[in-house]
Amino acid sequence: MAAPYRGASAQSASRAAQHGKMVPLLLDRVAHSGDEQQDRAPTSTEDLGRAWLALSDAVHVAVANGQMRQRSGVSQQAPFAGEGRTTPSGLSVASGQICCELSAARDRLLFVTGSVLTSLLDGLRAYVPLFVSLGVLLVLLASPMPGRGPRMFQPRDPWRGFKFATRRAVMTRAGGRCEAPMLLAWGRCHDSATEVDHIYPWSRGGPTVVSNGQALCRTHNRRKSNLRPPWWYVLSLERRRTAYSPADVTVRVLGRMSASERATRAVRKD
């Protein structure tokens, strides 16, 4: 029964010797890679790929070495009488070299990654003023009209939908046609108005009053979100209304209730 174990020990020793030969080649690859990049900072993805390849090779060698040690564990832990413990040749040396190689490859990868990120940030630094300007422009375009929307902490209107006289007044002002623009703030939809909706959303404090209502077709009403309208939408709506609204009807958009409207709700609530 001793012969098979002697054969296994010899086979494990041969594998360890083969892996021991792979480590110097790996060390030589990383050393040459470091010499080539010593005089300049690695700033390309090619350098990052070289460092990653070195680390990947080191990991593969470490995994192969671990598998070899597991296979040779039988000969180390269960020697037969008359036989000494058999340690694969070059196993401890290969393990030490692999650990050093993993550390060197990891440091190389971190150095290359940091250099690439630094170069990328240096390249984007010239565009910082442009990005800041675009951000400020977007904020200004999305800002609501000052003094037109609901007041802060304004309670919700108990009347949720446009009905009866309020609905008829909004429809009459629009002439029975959708008041939504064709594109952003230009043109006017050609479809007939079928619904009346809030300009300043009811969920955000917009009251159910004529000055906060707009006649919409079904399509534009479904597209409308619950965000407060920007200032340019309010101004464009008022400009369009001057062309089709009756002369005695106000076209001003206002998301606040008047004193008479608040009194009406108080009476209906009582």
Side-chain angles (χ1 to χ4, degrees):
M1 296 298 293
Y5 288 97
R6 285 195 298 271
S9 300
Q11 186 178 8
S12 300
S14 176
R15 290 175 180 172
Q18 293 177 2
H19 288 291
K21 295 178 181 179
M22 294 172 62
V23 173
L25 296 177
L26 182 58
L27 290 170
D28 183 67
R29 172 185 292 184
V30 175
H32 283 75
S33 177
D35 293 340
E36 293 175 359
Q37 305 297 329
Q38 187 175 5
D39 296 333
R40 65 180 181 90
T43 58
S44 65
T45 55
E46 182 180 358
D47 298 331
L48 185 61
R50 290 195 188 99
W52 179 257
L53 179 61
L55 180 61
S56 177
D57 290 343
V59 170
H60 283 304
V61 172
V63 171
N65 183 63
Q67 293 177 351
M68 180 269 294
R69 295 182 64 179
Q70 291 179 357
R71 293 172 182 173
S72 62
V74 177
S75 60
Q76 294 179 4
Q77 298 176 5
F80 279 82
E83 295 181 357
R85 289 182 179 270
T86 305
T87 302
S89 175
L91 180 58
S92 59
V93 177
S95 300
Q97 290 178 336
I98 289 173
C99 292
C100 295
E101 174 60 23
L102 285 173
S103 178
R106 181 197 59 190
D107 295 342
R108 180 66 179 169
L109 180 61
L110 293 176
F111 174 71
V112 173
T113 304
S115 300
V116 171
L117 291 178
T118 302
S119 301
L120 180 61
L121 293 178
D122 291 340
L124 293 177
R125 186 176 302 171
Y127 298 95
V128 170
L130 176 61
F131 294 153
V132 173
S133 301
L134 290 177
V136 173
L137 180 61
L138 291 177
V139 171
L140 292 177
L141 290 177
S143 300
M145 189 85 172
R148 296 293 189 90
R151 294 182 176 89
M152 188 174 296
F153 306 114
Q154 177 175 311
R156 288 185 180 180
D157 191 347
W159 295 2
R160 175 65 178 84
F162 288 88
K163 300 178 181 179
F164 311 119
T166 306
R167 178 184 176 87
R168 288 193 300 268
V170 175
M171 285 291 189
T172 301
R173 182 180 57 193
R177 180 178 164 186
C178 179
E179 296 185 283
M182 293 294 294
L183 178 63
L184 296 179
W186 294 274
R188 185 186 177 188
C189 179
H190 298 284
D191 296 338
S192 299
T194 58
E195 303 175 7
V196 178
D197 194 25
H198 299 77
I199 299 175
Y200 288 93
W202 180 84
S203 61
R204 293 181 174 270
T208 308
V209 294
V210 177
S211 61
N212 191 42
Q214 58 180 343
L216 298 176
C217 62
R218 182 177 296 273
T219 301
H220 280 101
N221 193 24
R222 295 298 179 270
R223 292 177 182 175
K224 183 178 178 294
S225 63
N226 65 337
L227 299 178
R228 294 188 178 186
W231 58 270
W232 51 266
Y233 180 86
V234 174
L235 293 179
S236 65
L237 178 58
E238 293 177 348
R239 178 180 54 81
R240 289 193 303 271
R241 283 179 174 177
T242 57
Y244 56 79
S245 297
D248 57 340
V249 176
T250 179
V251 298
R252 189 168 185 264
V253 175
L254 184 62
R256 301 175 182 179
M257 288 189 292
S258 62
S260 60
E261 290 167 341
R262 286 194 297 269
T264 302
R265 282 150 177 77
V267 172
R268 295 290 180 86
K269 185 177 181 181
D270 295 338

